Amino acid sequence: MKRLGVPQVALLLAMWMGPLEAGGEMGSNAIGAVRSSEFPAASLIEVVLPGPLSAVEAFASASGERSLILLVEDGEGSEGPRFIYELRLGATVELSDLPVVLPAGADSLAAVDLAGDGFPELFVGEPGRIFRLTGEGRLELALEGQRVDLKSRARLGLDGSTVDAPELILVAVGNATWYTLDEEGGGLSKVEEVRLPVRAEMQGSWLRLSSPLVSALPRPGLHRELTYLVGPESIGARRLRTLILEPGGGSGASFRGRWSQLPTPETVQESQYALLDGEIVLLVSTVQADKHGIFEKKKFRVLRLVEDRSRSGVAPLLEVLTRTRNWYPTGVGVFDVNRDGFDDVILIQPKGLGGGKLVIEAFMGSGSGGFDGKTRRTDLEVETETWSYGKDVDLDGIPDLVLIEDEVLLVFTGVADTSSKAVLHREPGWRVVIGEVNDSLRVLDVLGDRRPEVLIIEEKGTGFESSTSAEEAGTEESREGQKEPIRGRLGLVIFSSPERG
Amino acid sequence: MAWMTLDTAWKLILTTGLVCLFLPASSAARNQKVQQVSLELPGAPSLVLSADVDQDGRLDLAVVVAYTEWDQIDIQEVSEMQGVEGFVEVLTVIPALTDRRELWVFRATEDGGYEPLTEALPLELSILSMAATSDGSKIVALTDQGVSLLRFGDEGEGPHLQLDRWLEEEPVMAGSGAFLPNLELLHDLDGDGDEDLLLPTAEGIAVFLGPLGNGPGDLVSLSRLPGETIQVHGEVILHYPIPLVRQVDGDGLPDLVVPDLKHDWQRFYVLRSAGAGRFLPPLRLPAGDALVSPPIVYFGDLDGDGVAEFVTEEDLADDDAGMRKEIRQAKRPPVRYRLHRSRQSLEMEPEPYEEFEVIGYAFEEGDSEFPLPAGFQDLDGDGRQDLITITLEFSLLKALSILATQRINIGLDFHVWCQDANGRFEPVKGLDLSGRFRLNLKDLRIGQLSQFAGDFDGDGRTDFVQIGRGRKVTIHRGGDGCRFPVQPDLSIRLLEEPKDLSLVQVRDLDGDGRADLMVTQPEVRQELDVTPRARLDVYLSRGEP
């Protein structure tokens, strides 16, 4: 069927002119088998799952045992049954199938410490319902509602995982609701509900209604207290509105508008809230709004959120033309690189038409959110769009950069020398061969030892092949013409030494 | 300044000069003439409705305008001041950007023009949509609380417009502050000749029977439509189906048809009418799990018997062609259509009753923001649907430049296949309906492309409007066999060339049975974030059909 209009034709033509994506090849492997590979100062645990991997959560049981909980679909189709697996990370690493009958629509997991006892409660969601998985392995209905969706829970912290959340916050179109654990029944009790902005538009025969997700940032010095933010919403071509939750003191909480102003008409492509010298700021990458530059480089802005009664906002604290073309992602971090007591902003920029280089540039803060024009910079000769910056892998107090290039996970550690002009060491501190990865990585402390691990998540594939499994994967001829089942894959990289590898 | 006064608005009627343009281009159109009126507005109109607001028997124009302008916020505070005993009242004046939404009503005058009826009615953000009944007797407003009716009053404080609340039922998009101009919520669902209301609520589609505004509002059915989905992709997204109202089962009553969000017309649902505004449970078509191949692109009554037919579309393009041929095929795609009748159960008969090949695009994607002036339409007034397709003419360089400018100057040619009494589609030869058109890809949602949108002479056949040639617009009267003469029957010279094609609309504005032309002309933006003023040029068809 023809699905082509003028813009689609143009895009097609542009695609013809672009580089072809290199084809990947996946091998099969023993389903459920846990394999461990050793690398200098690191080990890799890999497991192939019988179907697509829908969700992963790090979990700690009351006995202190650490594990990963995996929600897996049936490999034969998206409407088949779902299963929960637990990858136990004790003295021996083993994968077990939890004997729980999941609802057919189960599509999400959440491990949240709602009781505040240091151990998370585990929830399983399907559209319209949320279940709590009890310690006895039972699934109990915790919340039901026409448009309840566990996938809509608030984004916490810079990378979505760093903040200890006292509540479960779910967003529906038009409202955000705070839930705590019901002390009696173990279900979820509503604490607070606030209205969210709703965007409505017609799309063919469909009414599309949407509300932004809620982000949360820790309040400095306050344990388990968060600032909740919604946005940014573009109001016109230059103004951005952020809503910050104002406690209502018994009369119900509400959001209050804060305004930011872009220097020129721009469209926000990526956004993130962060604390800069104790003040919440908005970090955005943008492209020009009135026309599209085919080879345009992204702009980066650090924006204040002001309660501006004129609603026009104030100019950015920092304006940067990045080295990154508009089709590549950028990354950000906030850290006091030169230890002068003022936060600096670190910008991660893929460089070049085809990538091939990653520029990590720090813009030196001068206090109160200002910048003194000085920068520090490290150029890495790597080709990647998958990275995570900000976690301290070598435990020296300096943020490190974890990235995947081809089939290798690399960790570039932060430079501790405050007088250095570099942000990162140019030689990787760790190098782990992980095989081909198409999806994502997450850096978080799974084992609870304060040193982060790396989760490599392949939601859908046909298995995996790493350096050690390539021979087992069968020949290309034997796989040709065969329809491979869809399998998820999980990799866990555990760093064992602070020494550079 | 809050809003404009009547006096100011009067002055702003730019060329209220009612210009009669007699430009007959052929003897067939000797009695055709056009009356032109320009209306000044504080921004481009979001919606233009024809309705008899002042109840004088003539259809007026009700125009919804949304715009942003600089205003001021006055904040009165009481505070202590050094050297002043006691408290001091301080008035702080802060300039602020203010979003406004207003309803402007222009009364139809005896001489065929328009004049402001009264001051513009400020519309709160709680007004979500507006629509006029087909006879123009009422304008209804969908609000956060339910439905209100527009009333023009002349009592008390003088002539004024107001919205009287009629129905309390919160729509699903309440609180969005969005104005959705073309929701198409008014239909005669029970066949009694009165329009009824289809109201999307969180619990489902609610039906309130007409006459609208009489009594408290009679909820007769609430149907949960299939296919509603929630997605989380950086935001929480609810896709809520708005059904198409079509007669598909031949019982003379309109049914509800809901295309699938993922599969468009390859899988859809029908809620057959049970009479009196009620509907049977959804019926999924095709019933099997497997999708029909080639895919279904249309389900509707083609031959005028009230029973819907299925149309499948097979792409005949050569997938292994070289780049040059692929571009040629992208401009002039070869396609084969197969027409299948419905069984009584509405399932598709496996064997087609008609099959034909065409060149060009006819159907856009279900959620497309780029509505094509193509597809099935009864062009010659015989009650049977005919087919319009479009072929494109553009260069590779131009196509790439779209990405940069979001505007394109593109050649479009229209092709017509006329359906005969036997249900056969035959190509109409000898047409010259091509033109070059400037499209603003960002603003295509504003309006429809209007080449086959009106009957300018009131003879029941669709006329072709040639609007891709600068200031000159030509009308080609539709004839038997879906023919359109190469030579125009009427030429209109516009005050100004349309800035892009989506700013042109063709509709019968004055209810005389003849289509009229409406062109929005936004002024140059002077300041970022402040909406430029706009002029609405209306060209009314006059004369005998």
Side-chain angles (χ1 to χ4, degrees), chain A residues 1-2 207 209 238 289 292, chain B residues 238 297 315 403-404 442 528:
Chain A
M1 184 173 68
K2 283 285 162 295
L207 181 61
L209 301 166
R238 285 182 63 188
H292 289 279
Chain B
L238 168 66
V297 290
D315 181 3
L403 298 174
K442 281 186 172 177
L528 218 59

Side-chain angles (χ1 to χ4, degrees), chain B residues 298-467:
Chain B
Y298 185 80
F299 178 70
D301 178 19
L302 294 178
D303 53 11
D305 65 355
V307 182
E309 281 78 33
F310 291 80
V311 180
T312 67
E313 184 184 77
E314 183 184 1
D315 181 3
L316 300 177
D318 179 2
D319 288 340
D320 296 325
M323 186 170 174
R324 190 180 296 268
K325 188 174 178 187
E326 282 197 37
I327 291 176
R328 196 165 61 241
Q329 289 179 161
K331 295 174 182 177
R332 300 173 58 83
V335 175
R336 177 180 294 128
Y337 289 110
R338 293 183 179 89
L339 314 183
H340 300 251
R341 297 206 188 278
S342 302
R343 294 173 176 166
Q344 198 157 11
S345 63
L346 294 184
E347 274 293 312
M348 185 173 103
E349 289 284 2
E351 292 304 315
Y353 70 90
E354 169 70 354
E355 184 174 326
F356 59 103
E357 292 183 13
V358 308
I359 297 285
Y361 296 100
F363 302 97
E364 70 270 11
E365 224 171 328
D367 62 353
S368 170
E369 294 173 357
F370 184 24
L372 295 175
F376 288 110
Q377 184 178 338
D378 179 10
L379 293 175
D380 54 1
D382 61 1
R384 296 185 291 269
Q385 305 285 301
D386 310 299
L387 181 67
I388 304 159
T389 69
I390 297 174
T391 52
L392 312 175
E393 189 52 55
F394 59 87
S395 69
L396 181 63
L397 195 63
K398 286 259 188 210
L400 286 172
S401 75
I402 303 172
L403 298 174
T405 62
Q406 292 288 289
R407 283 177 187 270
I408 185 171
N409 214 318
I410 192 167
L412 298 183
D413 198 2
F414 296 90
H415 311 271
V416 174
W417 277 260
C418 203
Q419 186 182 181
D420 64 20
N422 299 316
R424 289 203 181 83
F425 283 77
E426 298 292 341
V428 180
K429 300 205 169 104
L431 298 178
D432 176 20
L433 308 177
S434 64
R436 291 204 75 78
F437 303 94
R438 188 185 306 154
L439 301 174
N440 180 352
L441 300 180
K442 281 186 172 177
D443 285 343
L444 279 174
R445 271 175 288 180
I446 291 173
Q448 301 277 324
L449 306 183
S450 307
Q451 283 77 5
F452 293 97
D455 171 14
F456 282 81
D457 53 8
D459 66 351
R461 298 188 189 103
T462 301
D463 304 318
F464 179 73
V465 186
Q466 179 60 270
I467 40 177

Side-chain angles (χ1 to χ4, degrees), chain A residues 238-240 258-262 303-305 312-314:
Chain A
R238 285 182 63 188
R239 294 182 297 152
L240 298 174
R258 298 285 192 276
W259 296 87
S260 312
Q261 191 186 80
L262 296 163
L303 299 159
R304 291 187 64 204
L305 310 177
S312 52
V314 294

Side-chain angles (χ1 to χ4, degrees), chain B residues 83-345:
Chain B
V84 179
E85 197 173 324
F87 291 100
V88 176
E89 282 198 3
V90 179
L91 180 68
T92 311
V93 178
I94 302 163
L97 283 166
T98 304
D99 296 322
R100 297 200 189 290
R101 208 177 273 173
E102 293 171 350
L103 178 70
W104 291 63
V105 176
F106 297 91
R107 187 177 75 89
T109 57
E110 276 185 36
D111 59 3
Y114 293 100
E115 64 184 20
L117 177 64
T118 180
E119 288 184 22
L121 175 69
L123 297 178
E124 295 176 1
L125 292 181
S126 60
I127 311 294
L128 303 167
S129 187
M130 296 184 94
T133 54
S134 56
D135 64 357
S137 61
K138 292 186 181 79
I139 287 181
V140 297
L142 184 67
T143 74
D144 279 357
Q145 294 77 34
V147 176
S148 297
L149 285 109
L150 180 70
R151 186 167 70 84
F152 173 64
D154 203 1
E155 70 284 356
E157 63 268 41
H160 63 280
L161 297 164
Q162 68 181 56
L163 288 169
D164 294 337
R165 192 174 295 184
W166 168 53
L167 188 69
E168 301 221 356
E169 184 72 53
E170 186 177 298
V172 68
M173 65 287 243
S176 68
F179 188 79
L180 303 164
N182 299 310
L183 273 179
E184 296 186 10
L185 301 177
L186 302 184
H187 304 271
D188 179 11
L189 296 168
D190 56 357
D192 67 353
D194 281 324
E195 272 156 304
D196 311 307
L197 176 71
L198 210 51
L199 185 71
T201 74
E203 287 73 39
I205 283 279
V207 173
F208 293 87
L209 291 184
L212 305 176
N214 290 8
D218 184 14
L219 172 67
V220 294
S221 69
L222 183 65
S223 305
R224 185 103 195 165
L225 295 180
E228 182 185 309
T229 60
I230 296 175
Q231 295 168 307
V232 181
H233 288 303
E235 56 185 348
V236 180
I237 304 159
L238 168 66
H239 278 101
Y240 184 101
I242 301 291
L244 300 170
V245 179
R246 288 180 182 171
Q247 288 190 36
V248 298
D249 61 1
D251 67 356
L253 290 172
D255 310 295
L256 305 183
V257 184
V258 183
D260 189 280
L261 181 64
K262 287 183 189 161
H263 301 107
D264 206 3
W265 287 104
Q266 295 185 64
R267 175 162 294 151
F268 58 94
Y269 300 87
V270 173
L271 286 78
R272 297 168 86 155
S273 174
R278 294 179 172 81
F279 295 91
L280 298 175
L283 175 70
R284 192 176 82 163
L285 292 172
D289 286 339
L291 298 175
V292 172
S293 180
I296 300 164
V297 290
Y298 185 80
F299 178 70
D301 178 19
L302 294 178
D303 53 11
D305 65 355
V307 182
E309 281 78 33
F310 291 80
V311 180
T312 67
E313 184 184 77
E314 183 184 1
D315 181 3
L316 300 177
D318 179 2
D319 288 340
D320 296 325
M323 186 170 174
R324 190 180 296 268
K325 188 174 178 187
E326 282 197 37
I327 291 176
R328 196 165 61 241
Q329 289 179 161
K331 295 174 182 177
R332 300 173 58 83
V335 175
R336 177 180 294 128
Y337 289 110
R338 293 183 179 89
L339 314 183
H340 300 251
R341 297 206 188 278
S342 302
R343 294 173 176 166
Q344 198 157 11
S345 63

